[in-house]
Amino acid sequence: MSTCKPMVAAFVLFASAGAVAQEGPHLGVPVSPADVAAWDISIGPSGAGLPQGSGNASAGASVYNTKCIACHGEKGVGKPSDQLVGGNGTLHDAAPVRTVGSYWPYATTLFDYIRRAMPWPQPQSLTPDEIYSLTAYLLFLNGVVGETDVMNATTLPKVVMPNRDNFDVAYHEPRRR
Amino acid sequence: MKKDLSSDALEPVAGNGLLHRRLFLTQGAAVLGSGVALMTARNASAAPLEVPATMKTPGVPASGYGERSRFESKVQRITNGAPPTPGTGGSRTPLEYLEGIITPNPLHFERHHNGVPDIDPEQHRVLIHGLVERPLVFSLDALSRYPLVSRIQFLECSGNSAGMNTPEPAQQGAGGLHGLVSCANWTGVPLSILLQEAGVKPEGKWLLAEGADAAGMSRSVPLAKAYDDAILALYQNGERIRPSNGYPVRLFLPGYEGNMNVKWLRRIKITAEPTMTKDETSKYTDLLPNGRAEMFTFPMGVKSVITSPSGTQKMQGAGLYQISGVAWSGTGKIRRVDVSADRGKTWAQAKLDEPVLSKAIARFRLPWRWDGSPSVLMSRATDEAGNVQPTRAKLMADRGPNYRYHYNAIQSWNVTAAGEIGNVYV
């Protein structure tokens, strides 16, 4: 289990770090938020930063069958890469099946990950509409949204994943002294 | 003390021939001599010594970048078959071939999520933005002018030793089973300095670290860790970091699970909450038998493994051996390592090589007089916070077979009368 005892010394170090941080030579070049837009691709659970665009499951199916099926199988059954669909109710089993539907706690992670890393041979090649559509398709296959539900910057963060409340955070902020 | 050693050092201090940890120190040549006698008695007489050919012809000249002896080419990182998508796998450090505490750069373990990018340092930039007063972009030249800190610390993949979850023990060596750990001298810029220059806003509590690889590898890190001992590492064992370890710059978070130490670092975004990336939700979370999962299990647990003698090696007949192994903890220094040669019934404290450093591999040693009978060797590490490496049975009982990450149980090596050594569950 992850219950290793932390060292008290680490807390002291942290608490004083702000005061003792060394002075640096200030060589960072200021940059405007607009100029970092192309790099700022991470999307957290709030959905802040999600781009314009939208898509539903039927549009997603055609993208999936063109660009994803070779690795993830028909309708996300997996092989050779991860199974994306199914496995609901198996997390207590001897052989749990962890998929988007059975395990992932946040729907925004789908958008974030597909955009940055998929399809595997051509990451960052999909348009926002394609990513929203694929996200909708995978959520639909997992019974999380309806076939015609539209995913966009407003609707996606509101999707509640089935396994959302079954994670416990093991990390605890050190106490300040 | 000397008297005790000279008279009693060859008396076992624990079952099945474990000898005192100071036997191999300078005290008592007679003691050592009698030990060596055990080893050499089988060889009646050596062949006549001849002048080697290397003394009769000049050697090769100096070279620009050194290579190891051609006779050592068998020492290779270990890969476990081709993954379905090339570049998503890794390779393990062959622990059983190495000594000391430093992993040579070409043998440092690898774990990639979409291959190793070929990055021109002139073009590379590190962006710090998000909840900061001043978003900043740093070139490598700029980072190189910052104050550097240098520490010897281990890095371990969260999924190291996952092969120990199988119902039957896999027959591999120490590196094949546990080689997703390495230890190097990492040198870099304290992240706290850069954060101070950017000016973190009060609501900033986490950062997202992102790599410039084709996976856009990304993990959320608590700012407390960033201020504590995080660095942007530029050097690995004195030379620039290897491409497979994040050239030209990687995040290094001492003691934390490997993939948080984002390689090819290109972006740090200060956030109020974790970003909940794929690699901290879908992966690198720990599923318990009750169906709940733990997330953000950052520090690697206290752990050790005997590397000599170890799986796939062979004993060279009865006699005196030095047991040698590695121990580490993501919480701090290793305080002690105990060794058993009788399946955990009795234990003897091993000697730790100096230096013993925080969040670094420590090398332990203990003399063992093997009488040729079937034996089981085990090592059990304790760190300075008092964390003790658990037995496999305890670990499996506590967290079930599907936990997948953070395996840190005691490793047991079975030694047969024929001298074969294998992985065994005790």
Side-chain angles (χ1 to χ4, degrees):
Chain A
M1 313 274 294
S2 58
T3 51
C4 43
K5 302 176 200 166
M7 291 296 297
V8 175
F11 294 175
V12 176
L13 251 183
F14 163 60
S16 58
V20 300
Q22 267 181 284
E23 181 69 15
H26 293 273
L27 298 174
V29 178
V31 59
S32 74
D35 286 338
V36 307
W39 277 31
D40 189 9
I41 56 172
S42 52
I43 302 296
S46 75
L50 276 168
Q52 298 281 315
S54 65
N56 63 17
S58 51
S62 63
V63 180
Y64 183 92
N65 290 333
T66 308
K67 301 192 171 177
C68 316
I69 196 167
C71 292
H72 293 288
E74 194 174 346
K75 295 184 177 177
V77 297
K79 300 275 192 254
S81 293
D82 280 15
Q83 179 176 340
L84 303 175
V85 173
N88 288 339
T90 67
L91 297 186
H92 301 75
D93 295 356
V97 179
R98 281 168 267 210
T99 73
V100 171
S102 70
Y103 196 66
W104 289 36
Y106 297 99
T108 47
T109 308
L110 263 178
F111 188 96
D112 173 288
Y113 185 66
I114 293 170
R115 176 162 69 171
R116 72 172 59 244
M118 290 289 129
W120 170 78
Q122 290 114 17
Q124 298 205 41
S125 65
L126 299 174
T127 66
D129 284 352
E130 288 176 315
I131 303 167
Y132 281 120
S133 301
L134 279 173
T135 301
Y137 181 57
L138 293 174
L139 293 172
F140 163 67
L141 290 176
N142 278 295
V144 180
V145 304
E147 189 163 15
T148 57
D149 289 354
V150 172
M151 290 294 108
N152 58 34
T154 306
T155 58
L156 180 61
K158 293 179 180 159
V159 171
V160 178
M161 299 299 280
N163 198 42
R164 167 68 190 86
D165 293 328
N166 291 320
F167 285 82
D168 297 307
V169 172
Y171 172 78
H172 298 292
E173 187 83 357
R175 284 177 296 115
R176 284 181 179 273
R177 294 193 166 190
Chain B
M1 183 61 75
K2 279 188 177 178
K3 181 175 181 294
D4 287 345
L5 271 170
S6 59
S7 58
D8 300 334
L10 286 173
E11 292 303 311
V13 295
N16 196 22
L18 287 179
L19 305 179
H20 198 280
R21 62 186 179 278
R22 283 192 285 270
L23 172 62
F24 282 121
L25 298 187
T26 54
Q27 319 183 19
V31 171
L32 253 185
S34 59
V36 171
L38 284 171
M39 300 288 286
T40 54
R42 291 172 290 123
N43 301 325
S45 175
L49 298 174
E50 293 179 5
V51 176
T54 53
M55 299 183 76
K56 298 178 178 175
T57 183
V60 299
S63 61
Y65 198 81
E67 297 288 339
R68 63 182 169 178
S69 162
R70 62 191 172 95
F71 299 104
E72 295 298 316
S73 59
K74 67 180 181 297
V75 181
Q76 298 281 336
R77 288 188 289 216
I78 303 146
T79 54
N80 290 342
T85 42
T88 56
S91 67
R92 291 154 200 269
T93 295
L95 298 171
E96 62 272 36
Y97 285 105
L98 303 180
E99 255 297 343
I101 63 172
I102 298 292
T103 310
N105 290 344
L107 297 175
H108 195 289
F109 86 85
E110 304 171 273
R111 175 74 176 95
H112 314 306
H113 294 78
N114 197 355
V116 179
D118 179 27
I119 296 179
D120 176 353
E122 294 285 323
Q123 304 300 321
H124 191 74
R125 296 290 180 272
V126 177
L127 166 67
I128 298 181
H129 73 132
L131 296 173
V132 297
E133 302 293 344
R134 295 168 294 278
L136 296 173
V137 174
F138 295 88
S139 68
L140 263 293
D141 281 347
L143 288 176
S144 299
R145 272 190 49 199
Y146 275 72
L148 300 176
V149 297
S150 194
R151 309 186 195 102
I152 294 172
Q153 279 160 335
F154 81 84
L155 186 70
E156 183 180 21
C157 176
S158 180
N160 194 20
S161 317
M164 297 298 291
N165 287 315
T166 57
E168 296 299 319
Q171 291 311 316
Q172 295 188 64
L177 292 170
H178 306 291
L180 291 176
V181 65
S182 303
C183 186
N185 180 195
W186 299 98
T187 304
V189 181
L191 179 52
S192 59
I193 300 178
L194 305 177
L195 293 180
Q196 181 172 271
E197 291 188 356
V200 175
K201 293 179 177 175
E203 60 268 36
K205 299 294 178 199
W206 289 75
L207 63 81
L208 177 83
E210 183 177 87
D213 58 327
M217 185 66 194
S218 55
R219 285 292 309 257
S220 301
V221 179
L223 272 187
K225 180 65 173 176
Y227 287 127
D228 179 6
D229 57 1
I231 64 171
L232 269 54
L234 304 171
Y235 297 88
Q236 174 186 358
N237 290 332
E239 65 179 355
R240 290 285 182 168
I241 288 178
R242 293 269 162 142
S244 57
N245 272 287
Y247 183 87
V249 55
R250 84 177 301 168
L251 185 61
F252 195 84
L253 305 171
Y256 273 21
E257 60 184 12
N259 77 61
M260 297 177 74
N261 298 255
V262 171
K263 296 183 285 191
W264 317 294
L265 183 72
R266 72 148 191 171
R267 185 165 77 104
I268 289 175
K269 183 177 187 179
I270 308 300
T271 60
E273 301 286 345
T275 300
M276 301 295 181
T277 70
K278 185 268 284 180
D279 283 301
E280 57 204 21
T281 54
S282 166
K283 310 291 184 188
Y284 302 102
T285 49
D286 308 309
L287 181 60
L288 292 162
N290 65 8
R292 297 190 66 80
E294 294 187 330
M295 63 182 356
F296 303 146
T297 49
F298 297 145
M300 297 307 293
V302 62
K303 189 166 173 179
S304 69
V305 59
I306 294 171
T307 53
S308 177
S310 64
T312 70
Q313 295 177 340
K314 196 167 187 312
M315 302 293 286
Q316 302 294 309
L320 186 63
Y321 287 83
Q322 186 186 59
I323 292 170
S324 173
V326 287
W328 64 96
S329 167
T331 301
K333 289 182 183 178
I334 290 297
R335 178 194 291 167
R336 64 183 287 164
V337 178
D338 295 282
V339 171
S340 173
D342 57 8
R343 211 179 177 88
K345 287 201 278 289
T346 61
W347 297 82
Q349 187 175 353
K351 174 183 169 289
L352 296 179
D353 278 3
E354 293 292 340
V356 177
L357 301 167
S358 182
K359 302 171 189 174
I361 280 182
R363 175 65 60 174
F364 65 89
R365 306 176 188 282
L366 193 70
W368 178 41
R369 188 171 53 204
W370 184 48
D371 64 6
S373 65
S375 306
V376 173
L377 296 174
M378 307 163 79
S379 63
R380 180 183 65 202
T382 303
D383 69 21
E384 62 179 332
N387 299 301
V388 181
Q389 194 178 2
T391 63
R392 183 175 183 279
K394 171 82 163 61
L395 194 73
M396 299 304 280
D398 280 350
R399 61 186 218 178
N402 295 307
Y403 198 88
R404 189 180 287 178
Y405 302 104
H406 289 272
Y407 181 98
N408 71 325
I410 290 171
Q411 170 65 40
S412 305
W413 299 120
N414 185 59
V415 181
T416 69
E420 307 284 349
I421 307 167
N423 180 23
V424 63
Y425 292 163
V426 169

